[in-house]
Amino acid sequence: MKTRIIEAKQTGDPANWGKFMVMRPDEEWARRSAIDDNPYGPLLRQCGWGPKHIIVFDLQTCEGAAFRPGGFAKADLNKHRIHVCVLFEAFLTWLYVQDLSDLDRLPDVVELDGVPFELYGYRRPGPGEATAGG
């Protein structure tokens, strides 16, 4: 697994501070199932994964999910209902427009505009839920 840790901060003071690990399968692409001798290829492909999939993990909340950049970050986060810091959505939106072919080319720190200061992270609401709760 190829990984990259990126820190994010919001413009201004006070500022929230996000710590994220972005991951992409590497040699895992070749792994075949040890249980199912399916002739349709490697296990990740059988599960619907493609070369654009990434995993984004919030190091502060210890939660993350798999995403396919190019979608709508807010909707993708609502689908997964993970507990995130307040910068996660803005970070994911920023990440979706980056060249992710080489994670090493991503910066160590990004500054995100337009994110209001919050004291706590939150669990994203799921489909059909009005509030995040918890």
Side-chain angles (χ1 to χ4, degrees), residues 35-131:
I35 296 173
D36 182 5
D37 61 353
N38 188 324
Y40 299 111
L43 183 61
L44 288 177
R45 296 229 183 250
Q46 288 181 41
C47 294
W49 282 63
K52 292 188 176 186
H53 279 91
I54 57 171
I55 298 167
V56 183
F57 189 77
D58 187 320
L59 294 170
Q60 189 67 48
T61 66
C62 296
E63 294 192 28
F67 299 95
R68 189 174 187 279
F72 184 47
K74 183 179 184 89
D76 291 347
L77 279 172
N78 287 348
K79 176 180 132 185
H80 290 294
R81 295 200 69 233
I82 57 177
H83 182 226
V84 296
C85 83
V86 298
L87 296 175
F88 198 105
E89 182 179 329
F91 176 73
L92 194 60
T93 299
W94 171 85
L95 194 61
Y96 275 15
V97 297
Q98 303 308 306
D99 176 3
L100 299 175
S101 61
D102 182 1
L103 297 183
D104 287 333
R105 286 193 277 185
L106 295 173
D108 292 331
V109 177
V110 295
E111 192 165 311
L112 304 168
D113 291 326
V115 181
F117 177 78
E118 297 288 340
L119 290 175
Y120 303 103
Y122 54 93
R123 184 164 306 281
R124 298 300 299 223
E129 293 179 346
T131 61

